[in-house]
Structure formats: structure tokens, C-alpha cells
């Protein structure tokens, strides 16, 4: 069972993934880690770097989703939310 039943995770959109690959992101957003197969929410309210680190570690360690057994963790946002991806000057 998901830890917070009030949050339904969603994957990042193609545009959000593209922006992230180009170092464009919302530094104020709260990211989450979830199983894209069954939408089990592993952890929420994380800063981007921490969320990316957690997703990477779960995937590298082959951690299975406790709900469906899949080993595919993903970075996301709560369903129905949008974010203001911004690029900060270097």
C-alpha cells in the first residue's frame, strides 16, 4: 500500500525530461520516487537531486516494488500538478 494515499504519482512529461536533461528544473518543486507500473509511492517531498539519487539507487540495487514486484523506479510529480521549470543563468 502507498505511504500517502492522497498522492497519485505521475511521470515527468517528455518536455520536463528534456528540460531536465538540459539542466532546466524547478528548484522549489517537491519531487517523488514511484513505481510506474502500479503507481506505488516510495517517497515524496524530496528535492530534485535527492529524488534523482534515490531513483538511481533503487534501480541499481534492483529493489522490487513492495506492491507489484517491478524493479522500475521513476522520478515524478503528483498527478494533476504542473511545475514552473526554469533555467537559472550560470
Amino acid at each position: 500500500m502507498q505511504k500517502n494515499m492522497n498522492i497519485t504519482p505521475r511521470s515527468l512529461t517528455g518536455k520536463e525530461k528534456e528540460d531536465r536533461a538540459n539542466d532546466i528544473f524547478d528548484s522549489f518543486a517537491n519531487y517523488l520516487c514511484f513505481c510506474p507500473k502500479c503507481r506505488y509511492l516510495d517517497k515524496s517531498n524530496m528535492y530534485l537531486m535527492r529524488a534523482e539519487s534515490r531513483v538511481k539507487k533503487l534501480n541499481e540495487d534492483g529493489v522490487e516494488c513492495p506492491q507489484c514486484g517491478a524493479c522500475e523506479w521513476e522520478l515524478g510529480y503528483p498527478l494533476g500538478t504542473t511545475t514552473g521549470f526554469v533555467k537559472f543563468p550560470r
Side-chain angles (χ1 to χ4, degrees), residues 2-78:
Q2 276 180 201
K3 292 179 182 177
N4 186 334
M5 297 302 289
N6 296 318
I7 299 173
T8 301
R10 74 162 176 88
S11 300
L12 298 180
T13 65
K15 173 75 170 121
E16 289 166 344
K17 289 178 183 177
E18 180 183 319
D19 284 346
R20 180 64 196 118
N22 291 314
D23 246 0
I24 302 170
F25 60 95
D26 183 349
S27 64
F28 297 103
N30 287 314
Y31 295 83
L32 48 86
C33 173
F34 74 103
C35 172
K37 297 276 186 191
C38 69
R39 303 278 184 226
Y40 172 82
L41 177 61
D42 169 69
K43 193 166 172 94
S44 63
N45 296 325
M46 293 183 288
Y47 291 110
L48 176 62
M49 303 318 177
R50 177 67 188 113
E52 286 178 331
S53 174
R54 180 152 182 88
V55 167
K56 182 179 178 182
K57 181 161 179 45
L58 291 173
N59 285 322
E60 285 177 349
D61 292 351
V63 175
E64 293 183 1
C65 172
Q67 187 164 294
C68 73
C71 294
E72 298 177 34
W73 299 98
E74 197 170 303
L75 179 71
Y77 287 115

